[in-house]
Amino acid sequence: QVQPVESGGGLVQAGGSLRLSCAASGSNFRAAAVGWYRQAPGKQRGLVASISSSGVTNYADSVKGRFTISRDNTKNTVSLQMTSLKPEDTAVYYCYAGYPYNTWGQGTQVTVSS
């Protein structure tokens, strides 16, 4: 089973930026809708942003105007550009690749210090 691989997490000060990447092998990745989710300690995992195979995007209200999701089908990657980061953005960020993958990545930690 092909598993997406996330990268780009780290520690950043409030107001800073980070760019997360989700990569998967296989030509079918371009046909898969992909979502970025996050889970903070003691909280449920929730959707941050998603992008369809045709490029239609969707964002959680809490990140609208600050985060941008995009995909590069030539590189089999989906990126999440995060700007104006806040301490409440601190979480483990997961990539989920939909059909035909239907799999989660291992996650990458994002920590925003105040």
Side-chain angles (χ1 to χ4, degrees):
Q1 188 179 36
V2 176
Q3 185 176 36
V5 177
E6 303 97 336
S7 61
L11 173 64
V12 65
Q13 288 189 330
S17 300
L18 280 175
R19 186 177 182 88
L20 305 182
S21 289
C22 171
S25 61
S27 59
N28 287 330
F29 191 65
R30 65 189 63 188
V34 175
W36 280 100
Y37 293 75
R38 67 187 180 187
Q39 186 168 20
K43 295 188 177 181
Q44 288 189 328
R45 189 176 302 186
L47 179 69
V48 175
S50 64
I51 187 165
S52 71
S53 58
S54 61
V56 176
T57 60
N58 181 52
Y59 297 93
D61 287 343
S62 60
V63 306
K64 283 181 180 177
R66 300 189 297 122
F67 292 9
T68 303
I69 189 170
S70 61
R71 66 190 307 158
D72 184 342
N73 289 334
T74 65
K75 298 180 179 179
N76 271 12
T77 59
V78 171
S79 298
L80 184 69
Q81 179 68 47
M82 306 186 294
T83 64
S84 301
L85 283 161
K86 305 175 182 180
E88 51 264 44
D89 294 318
T90 295
V92 179
Y93 284 70
Y94 297 90
C95 173
Y96 177 79
Y99 180 84
Y101 292 81
N102 297 327
T103 57
W104 292 91
Q106 297 278 11
T108 185
Q109 176 71 46
V110 171
T111 302
V112 184
S113 64
S114 57

